Amino acid sequence: LKLILSPAKPWQISPEWEKHRNYYLDTGAEVFLKQEVPYNITSNPCFSQQSAQLLKQAIHNSAQNQAFRILELGAGLGLFALHLLELLAPDTQIEYWLTDLSIATLKYIEMQPMAQKWIESGLLKLAVLDALNPKEIHDLAGNVLSIESGYFQAILANYQFSTLPTAVLYKQPQGWYQKTVQWESELVETEEITAFCQSWKNALLNRQWLEHIDPTHPQYLFFETLQAVQNNWADCLTPERWSLLPEDTELRAYLLEKISAEWHSALVKNEVLAPESNPESLYESIESLLLTPFFNSIEHTLPRIRRDGLAQIQLADFCPNQDSQIALVKLTEKLPLATIGFPLAAINLIEELAEWLSDQGMWLISDKGYADQSWMQGIHSEEASHHGDSLSHPLNFPYLEAFFQQNAYKVCTTNDEVYAIQTLWAYRVSERNSDWQTTFQSEFAQQNKNEESHAWLEAGHQALKLGNHEQAQRYLTRALRLRPQDATLRYLLSVNLLQQEKYLQAWEHLNSENDDYYGLFNFAILKAETCRLLEQYAEAIPHYQASLKRYGAASTVLYNLGLCFEQLQAHKAAQDVWLQALDLDPNDQEIQDSLKALKSVLL
Ligand SMILES: C[S@@+](CC[C@H](N)C(=O)[O-])C[C@H]1O[C@@H](n2cnc3c(N)ncnc32)[C@H](O)[C@@H]1O
């Protein structure tokens, strides 16, 4: 017996996207801090350097007597912006609007000293902007901000468009289709069925309409009859009845039909509905009053099966405007069969923000996406990937390029098959900026340093995890050449060297300048351990203390700090921290033994 938890919906409006959106809204900066969503894909010194070269070109061509105004969408932790400001601000007048959907993330950024420096100088502004409703921009106090038309010279979106709801379209000889998604479940075990029937009963008995409706209400009879039918169905759906249903029954449809029919007869009997009326006219009410709330509430408790489907569409109804339709038709002209990630929300966003972009304005979009048109050939499955509860659907760069061109922009794109992150630069046509393409070619297309360094970083990290220290060292060093100051690299290199007992080399990395603006990496503990292993006990102590203060107490940190005190004959201090360590880890034999040994010394 099958049951539909959530009926077929176009993929772009399926509940998965709602969950994804709420994940960013509710979890805030933690989505990055817990390392569930990677933040250094584009938030690193190398990528900012590449982007800065393009922006410098635009700044050079822009009006010199006003600040160059940049709007960044979905900025996440804002590390890209901080890198960029370091590169641009010393020589140019900048006004940088760092925006995101999540006010919690923006508030986190606001508290960071590195960001405060720029906020206080007026260069950096933080604002809430929902890409699904972009014109309603407001500050962190909730005040609506009004933006003059043509205000921004550049709009940036890094690893953001792919996180906006995306439709999947299929072109076939008989027409256009969109992907739909339905969630189903199948209950087999007796306990599962019994639990399901019990939840159903509770849910129905808890929905007491008459408690909220006055007898004089015009629809009182509607709800009174519904209540009676509902109470009956609360008892009616038992495991025994379940076992008598034919095997191919789909439970949701079965309940919809049966309950509607019963309610319909009650309404006819009470002369609320005419006898010739159709019970199907009640389907929508039964769905929204009973079935949807119930299935939504139990969905997470059941095994879920996803079923993808197809629904035919008319392009004219589906595309938000004529330009988007023309771009799609042109792009797929030569493809009899095609699979297309269609960035519906992104198209709307570009359209809506066009008014805020100056005549010379530009878009710079970097994201995980299609390198070229070959991705679209044929009918195949196309999926979004998950990070935590967030989704990332590969961005269709060839389509975006066609769309921008249709809107009279000039466009440069990368199209490297090897790399996941692609970049698109679209700018309004003007004579003055015709040489920009050369900058794009040299910074992004010819050698994609960010992607290359990312690949070395990933390979180095992998080798480190496998204990291949020599290999890890080579890969991470290559990455560091392209991304000097990258904190992730400095951290991994130090760990790699420490694991090989190369303390002095590790010490050099630990003390090199890095871009860990928010203290995301615990360099303090690595410094402390290095000093201790070099037998520099007095030097180690402040680093242990810094680690405890910034990253919280941990029994091993306290224990190793105690070892340093002990080496310096500070027995009382050693005892204090070991007792704290024991509090956190009462069964640890090593801490217990050390305290026992110390007791005799202190006596
Ligand atoms: C994958 S993260 C990328 C963050 C950052 N740009 C980076 O490259 O590290 C996606 C970001 O988009 C934001 N986001 C998701 N949906 C959004 C929406 N509808 N409007 C604006 N931002 C959104 C999320 O809050 C998150 O910060």
Side-chain angles (χ1 to χ4, degrees):
L1 200 83
K2 164 172 110 168
L3 59 99
I4 294 176
L5 296 170
S6 139
K9 280 207 175 110
W11 160 237
Q12 65 278 14
I13 55 164
S14 80
E16 297 300 282
W17 286 103
E18 193 59 29
K19 194 161 149 200
H20 148 94
R21 187 179 158 80
N22 289 335
Y23 169 68
Y24 279 117
L25 278 171
D26 301 341
T27 322
E30 283 294 310
V31 304
F32 306 105
L33 303 178
K34 285 193 292 188
Q35 306 270 351
E36 285 183 355
V37 178
Y39 60 81
N40 65 357
I41 302 281
T42 56
S43 296
N44 64 64
C46 185
F47 190 72
S48 306
Q49 179 69 37
Q50 290 174 275
S51 308
Q53 296 313 313
L54 289 185
L55 287 162
K56 278 182 185 166
Q57 184 92 49
I59 292 167
H60 179 73
N61 285 317
S62 72
Q64 303 295 319
N65 54 355
Q66 68 167 48
F68 187 86
R69 302 188 191 113
I70 301 172
L71 171 67
E72 187 186 353
L73 306 170
L77 285 185
L79 292 168
F80 171 81
L82 297 182
H83 285 120
L84 199 75
L85 284 168
E86 288 289 319
L87 293 165
L88 295 180
D91 309 320
T92 32
Q93 242 190 310
I94 300 280
E95 188 178 300
Y96 197 101
W97 288 58
L98 186 162
T99 70
D100 200 88
L101 165 72
S102 159
I103 190 166
T105 304
L106 294 166
K107 285 192 167 162
Y108 172 84
I109 298 173
E110 194 184 29
M111 280 167 12
Q112 308 301 322
M114 184 64 185
Q116 278 164 1
K117 163 180 133 183
W118 298 114
I119 295 169
E120 278 159 20
S121 65
L123 265 71
L124 179 63
K125 297 185 188 303
L126 305 184
V128 179
L129 187 151
D130 176 0
L132 302 185
N133 188 13
K135 284 297 185 64
E136 265 183 36
I137 181 165
H138 56 86
D139 67 17
L140 303 201
N143 302 310
V144 175
L145 304 168
S146 86
I147 307 283
E148 290 162 27
S149 81
Y151 191 80
F152 294 106
Q153 279 79 46
I155 304 182
L156 316 182
N158 295 326
Y159 193 4
Q160 202 259 338
F161 274 27
S162 62
T163 68
L164 300 176
T166 302
V168 176
L169 304 187
Y170 303 100
K171 183 185 171 191
Q172 301 200 28
Q174 60 274 37
W176 283 86
Y177 294 80
Q178 67 174 324
K179 167 166 140 177
T180 59
V181 170
Q182 171 162 297
W183 288 97
E184 299 173 1
S185 192
E186 215 158 338
L187 303 186
V188 183
E189 304 298 330
T190 320
E191 306 86 70
E192 287 176 332
I193 296 170
T194 311
F196 179 90
C197 294
Q198 193 56 47
S199 314
W200 165 260
K201 183 172 182 156
N202 295 344
L204 258 55
L205 294 180
N206 280 336
R207 292 182 96 73
Q208 292 295 326
W209 306 109
L210 302 186
E211 281 175 11
H212 312 286
I213 297 174
D214 195 86
T216 57
H217 190 280
Q219 285 188 310
Y220 187 83
L221 254 179
F222 248 93
F223 283 98
E224 195 184 36
T225 44
L226 175 62
Q227 192 72 63
V229 172
Q230 189 179 311
N231 291 349
N232 177 34
W233 272 90
D235 293 325
C236 217
L237 189 66
T238 57
E240 294 70 42
R241 177 162 188 162
W242 188 296
S243 64
L244 297 175
L245 294 173
E247 239 180 62
D248 58 352
T249 310
E250 190 282 294
L251 192 72
R252 191 179 184 125
Y254 171 81
L255 291 171
L256 182 67
E257 189 199 322
K258 296 286 175 207
I259 300 176
S260 301
E262 238 172 73
W263 190 23
H264 183 260
S265 357
L267 288 167
V268 170
K269 201 162 149 202
N270 283 281
E271 296 178 1
V272 180
L273 289 183
E276 62 276 15
S277 62
N278 191 339
E280 283 180 22
S281 64
L282 298 172
Y283 278 13
E284 212 179 301
S285 304
I286 291 293
E287 258 297 347
S288 65
L289 293 171
L290 297 184
L291 299 182
T292 304
F294 168 67
F295 282 107
N296 284 353
S297 73
I298 57 152
E299 195 185 10
H300 62 282
T301 63
L302 299 175
R304 297 195 326 151
I305 306 158
R306 179 176 141 165
R307 208 159 305 275
D308 291 359
L310 291 181
Q312 189 153 26
I313 52 163
Q314 296 305 321
L315 277 195
D317 305 334
F318 190 84
C319 293
N321 58 40
Q322 226 185 348
D323 282 335
S324 62
Q325 186 181 342
I326 295 171
L328 182 59
V329 171
K330 270 194 197 163
L331 188 71
T332 53
E333 230 163 22
K334 298 204 173 84
L335 300 176
L337 293 175
T339 305
I340 292 142
F342 192 66
L344 260 179
I347 301 165
N348 276 327
L349 179 68
I350 295 167
E351 281 272 302
E352 293 235 24
L353 293 189
E355 193 204 326
W356 289 357
L357 198 58
S358 83
D359 291 344
Q360 304 280 314
M362 57 177 257
W363 275 90
L364 183 59
I365 300 161
S366 292
D367 222 310
K368 293 183 176 174
Y370 304 11
D372 55 33
Q373 297 198 19
S374 57
W375 190 305
M376 292 186 283
Q377 283 175 20
I379 303 291
H380 51 84
S381 77
E382 185 170 314
E383 281 302 326
S385 57
H386 283 259
H387 290 292
D389 268 343
S390 83
L391 294 172
S392 170
H393 196 113
L395 184 60
N396 188 338
F397 277 93
Y399 176 75
L400 268 195
E401 179 175 3
F403 178 68
F404 272 116
Q405 280 168 347
Q406 195 61 35
N407 279 281
Y409 283 81
K410 279 209 164 173
V411 186
C412 299
T413 54
T414 56
N415 50 12
D416 195 320
E417 290 253 23
V418 178
Y419 295 128
I421 299 273
Q422 305 292 336
T423 298
L424 177 149
W425 191 24
Y427 52 96
R428 298 251 167 98
V429 180
S430 91
E431 275 173 25
R432 282 199 293 160
N433 54 27
S434 55
D435 56 335
W436 288 12
Q437 289 176 16
T438 324
T439 315
F440 186 85
Q441 286 302 322
S442 66
E443 289 304 322
F444 284 95
Q446 279 155 15
Q447 193 197 0
N448 192 337
K449 293 184 190 161
N450 182 44
E451 277 289 286
E452 203 177 315
S453 53
H454 181 73
W456 288 121
L457 187 156
E458 288 290 317
H461 192 188
Q462 212 46 39
L464 173 61
K465 282 199 271 189
L466 294 171
N468 297 335
H469 297 299
E470 292 284 316
Q471 208 177 38
Q473 191 69 22
R474 264 202 324 271
Y475 294 167
L476 294 171
T477 308
R478 287 192 77 153
L480 192 70
R481 255 182 245 141
L482 296 166
R483 288 188 190 186
Q485 292 173 31
D486 185 300
T488 316
L489 285 170
R490 293 279 183 199
Y491 187 85
L492 293 178
L493 274 161
S494 312
V495 171
N496 192 44
L497 290 162
L498 288 174
Q499 286 182 0
Q500 298 171 82
E501 301 182 5
K502 294 180 177 171
Y503 304 127
L504 289 175
Q505 285 181 48
W507 189 246
E508 221 169 277
H509 282 292
L510 289 171
N511 288 288
S512 302
E513 205 185 323
N514 68 56
D515 70 333
D516 189 14
Y517 298 140
Y518 296 173
L520 299 175
F521 292 95
N522 189 348
F523 282 104
I525 192 62
L526 295 188
K527 286 182 183 171
E529 291 299 330
T530 311
C531 289
R532 184 174 66 83
L533 294 163
L534 286 168
E535 300 180 7
Q536 313 267 341
Y537 301 112
E539 284 80 358
I541 290 170
H543 295 304
Y544 279 118
Q545 287 165 336
S547 170
L548 290 165
K549 191 164 168 216
R550 173 74 177 79
Y551 302 95
S555 68
T556 40
V557 179
L558 288 160
Y559 181 71
N560 290 352
L561 171 60
L563 291 176
C564 295
F565 282 132
E566 193 46 12
Q567 289 291 340
L568 297 168
Q569 309 295 319
H571 303 304
K572 181 72 184 71
Q575 188 185 38
D576 284 351
V577 287
W578 281 345
L579 284 171
Q580 288 174 42
L582 195 67
D583 264 355
L584 295 176
D585 204 350
N587 298 325
D588 189 294
Q589 198 57 47
E590 211 173 2
I591 307 175
Q592 289 175 7
D593 292 347
S594 301
L595 276 166
K596 217 181 274 168
L598 201 58
K599 228 177 194 172
S600 53
V601 180
L602 282 168
L603 275 176

